[in-house]
Amino acid sequence: MVRCSSFGKALLVGGLAVLALAQSASAAGSLVSSLEAVNGSVAAQDDILVRWSLTNNGSSTAYVLRYQTPLFGVESNLFVVALDGERVPYNGKLVKRAAPTAKDFLAVAPGETLSKVVELSSIYDFARAGEYSVQYRINLGETLRPAKLGSSQPYREDVLSNEVAIWREVGAVADDNHLLEEQGRLDQPSLALRALTPSYISCSSSRQSALVTALSSAQSYASNASSYMNAGTVGARYTTWFGSYTSSRYSTVRTHYSTILSTIQNQRITFNCSCTDSSYAYVFPGSPYTIYLCNAFWAAPNTGTDSRAGTLIHELSHFYVVASTDDWAYGQTACRSLATSNPSRAIDNADSHEYFAENNPFQN
């Protein structure tokens, strides 16, 4: 997740103008995506490749977030991959980012097509033999319209490509339980282990000390959030970040925080400090419990909005064995909007879990 540096007034205005144009483009439905399987039948040992494209069919320039395309690598769950109608795990990066600014957008001119061949077998679970369906899917609505930019006009949230079918030949892994064990998805918090000391990779002694403090604060955040949910409270704090109440959604969020707290208390977390990019942190959701910490994490305060402690809540929620959250929206403005427009996605959004836990500004 990229921490925004301070921009001048002109750049801020320009950034909002870009966002407004992006909203307009998505509302008009001008961005159209297509997929093509490079090979419709793939041997067990071969890579699975698709040719992705995104075309602007409108009459004005459209804008799309760089990380919502695979042009620079896949660092979020951009594709819906299923085998026999059942979604398969995404094993690539999930990255904590800041709310987007103008520099995060790609301009797509009228009639222009962006295209790339994408290798999927290293980031999605294609281990079993059978016919897979693949579809590109991104959400534009929440990240492209802070506070709706004062507009209530209809807009299209999702861009969906066509589905392609790819047959994975016999010879792939057939033992599903063994596969899940390898991914760490059958791991459960061990009640025999309590408050384990973290392990560290490439972390200086000063960073290790900061991480001990951050993890302690994250535990306090998780404990407070779990207590709130266990009490059955439905105040502004809940509705701001997770939307209108239903018993099913509330139960899901309550389970999420209970598991996050249990993970902090009972699992050994590995902190990897080798990342040097501008994001906050990232994880591979099928590989608990390693968190990669990047430059913005070290520049963040220990507690408060987009804090170190909150970042740990965000990243822990991504693990499949914890809450299996995704990244539907980044930043407080987009997360508030998501809670209003789509509560089902809000309860699946990592930043929403972080902001509820940080509770800054304070709400009951």
Side-chain angles (χ1 to χ4, degrees), residues 11-262:
L11 182 54
L12 177 60
V13 172
L16 291 177
V18 169
L19 296 175
L21 285 170
Q23 176 195 2
S24 175
S26 64
S30 62
L31 291 173
V32 177
S33 179
S34 66
L35 280 186
E36 176 187 354
V38 173
N39 292 296
S41 181
V42 181
Q45 70 273 17
D46 292 340
D47 290 340
I48 292 179
L49 305 173
V50 294
R51 184 172 288 104
W52 165 87
S53 66
L54 186 68
T55 301
N56 179 6
N57 286 338
S59 58
S60 60
T61 300
Y63 294 85
V64 63
L65 286 165
R66 295 167 62 92
Y67 51 78
Q68 289 189 318
T69 78
L71 289 174
F72 309 96
V74 178
E75 292 192 345
S76 59
N77 192 3
L78 300 179
F79 296 87
V80 179
V81 181
L83 175 63
D84 298 327
E86 180 182 351
R87 291 281 295 274
V88 304
Y90 166 73
N91 294 321
K93 285 183 180 180
L94 288 175
V95 182
K96 175 174 164 59
R97 308 176 190 275
T101 61
K103 66 179 181 180
D104 295 312
F105 288 87
L106 295 172
V108 189
E112 182 180 5
T113 296
L114 308 177
S115 182
K116 184 175 182 179
V117 173
V118 186
E119 192 276 306
L120 296 177
S121 39
S122 63
I123 51 177
Y124 288 91
D125 173 12
F126 286 93
R128 290 174 288 170
E131 185 174 80
Y132 290 82
S133 63
V134 181
Q135 184 178 36
Y136 171 72
R137 176 213 64 191
I138 58 170
N139 174 265
L140 298 179
E142 302 309 327
T143 54
L144 300 190
R145 54 179 195 123
K148 298 185 180 179
L149 298 177
S151 173
S152 60
Q153 68 179 12
Y155 66 99
R156 187 189 65 188
E157 284 192 350
D158 291 334
V159 173
L160 296 170
S161 74
N162 57 300
E163 273 190 11
V164 296
I166 300 173
W167 178 262
R168 184 72 148 178
E169 294 181 358
V170 174
V173 174
D175 184 349
D176 293 346
N177 285 337
H178 175 67
L179 173 66
L180 295 177
E181 287 171 352
E182 287 186 340
Q183 294 172 338
R185 297 188 65 204
L186 293 185
D187 291 347
Q188 296 298 327
S190 170
L191 297 180
L193 302 175
R194 304 295 299 178
L196 299 180
T197 301
S199 61
Y200 304 98
I201 298 174
S202 301
C203 299
S204 66
S205 58
S206 61
R207 287 186 169 184
Q208 291 182 30
S209 177
L211 285 166
V212 169
T213 301
L215 187 59
S216 175
S217 297
Q219 180 171 340
S220 296
Y221 274 155
S223 178
N224 178 269
S226 187
S227 294
Y228 181 103
M229 299 300 300
N230 288 335
T233 310
V234 187
R237 179 181 178 183
Y238 176 85
T239 57
T240 294
W241 304 117
F242 298 118
S244 58
Y245 171 85
T246 68
S247 60
S248 176
R249 289 197 295 263
Y250 196 91
S251 176
T252 296
V253 176
R254 180 170 56 231
T255 299
H256 286 177
Y257 284 113
S258 175
T259 310
I260 290 170
L261 177 59
S262 177

